Amino acid sequence: MKIFVCIKQVPESNKVEVDPVTGVLKRDGAASKMNPYDLYNLETALRIREEVGGSIHVITMGPPQAEQVIREAFAMGADEGTLLSDRRFGGADVLATSYTLAQGIKSCGDFDLILCGKQTTDGDTAQVGPEISEWLNIPSVADVVQICKIEKDGITVNMDLPGEVEVAKVQFPCLLAVNKDIFQPRLPSYVKKIETKERRIQVLSLDDMTDKDETHYGLNGSPTQVQKIFPPEANDKKEVWEGSSEVLAEKLFDKIVEMKFA
C-alpha cells in the first residue's frame, strides 16, 4: 500500500510576526515544529504499514526550512518526503493550499491512501484534508478515531460525530482526516535520524506541477484573504465584592444587566 501523509510546519509559539501588506504569518526563520495533529496521522500511517506493508511518503508545503519536519518524519519511520516550496505558493488560503497539495500528490504518482491531521494549530480550519479529496475526486472521511479493518478494496473506520460514533467503509484510493488520540505517537528514533540524514528530499515548485497557472496558487488563487491579524487584548480587570449572599446576588444581577447579558 502506498500511503501519502500530509504534514505541516507550524510556529512553536503565538509570538510570530505578521506581514503588514499580505496579512499572513512570516514563517521564514521563525521557530517551528511539526503540527501536533500530524503526529497522529503519521503514527496511523506507520501502524497501517506495520499491518499490511507498503510505503509512507510525507508531503508538506512551505519555505525551505520546512524540510525539518520531513527529517523528523524520516526519524519516525517515513520512507520518502516531498517539499512543495515556491514563493508563488505563499499566502495561500485553505482552497489554494489544498489545491497545491493535491497537485503535488499527483506529481508524485499513484497512491492508495492519503492521511491528514484533523487540523493545524496555526489555522484551525479543519478544511484542507476534505478539500484535497475533492480536488482529487476521491472519497474521504473526517474525524476518524479508529481504524477497524483494512481490506484489499477499502478501509473501515470509526468517525466521531456529534453525539455518536459512525462506522464507515471507504474504497481505495481515499483520504482520511484523523483525530487526535487515535494512536499514541511514537518518538523520533535517533538511530533512524542518523540513518536518514542524507536521504534525498524531493523539492517541487510551481514549474513541476501539471497545472502551471499562477492564478490557482498562493495569494492569487485564494478567494479569501486575511485583512488583519492581531493578538487578543488581555483583560485582567477585576472587582472584589464583600457582603451577605443577598447583597452579592443583587450586585451580580445589576452587573449582568449593566453588561447587557440579560
Side-chain angles (χ1 to χ4, degrees), residues 78-138:
D79 301 298
E80 300 175 82
T82 295
L83 170 63
L84 308 179
S85 188
D86 193 313
R87 289 286 183 182
R88 292 168 289 184
F89 294 157
D93 68 356
V94 292
L95 188 68
T97 296
S98 63
Y99 185 74
T100 307
L101 287 168
Q103 286 289 307
I105 292 171
K106 288 170 65 176
S107 298
C108 293
D110 296 332
F111 59 89
D112 300 295
L113 178 64
I114 300 173
L115 291 172
C116 299
K118 177 185 176 181
Q119 61 196 71
T120 60
T121 55
D122 59 349
D124 285 331
T125 65
Q127 295 175 11
V128 171
E131 288 184 3
I132 291 173
S133 71
E134 289 296 314
W135 290 120
L136 296 175
N137 195 29
I138 59 174

Side-chain angles (χ1 to χ4, degrees), residues 3 11 41 103 120 154 168 216 228 243 246 252:
I3 306 171
N41 65 324
Q103 286 289 307
T120 60
H216 296 161
K228 185 178 181 182
E246 291 81 4
L252 180 59

Side-chain angles (χ1 to χ4, degrees), residues 196-224:
T196 61
K197 66 178 182 179
E198 301 297 332
R199 182 177 294 175
R200 175 179 173 270
I201 294 175
Q202 178 179 229
V203 180
L204 301 180
S205 69
L206 177 58
D207 296 330
D208 299 302
M209 303 294 106
T210 302
D211 177 9
K212 297 178 175 57
D213 187 342
E214 292 188 23
T215 63
H216 296 161
Y217 302 88
L219 283 172
N220 292 329
S222 302
T224 57

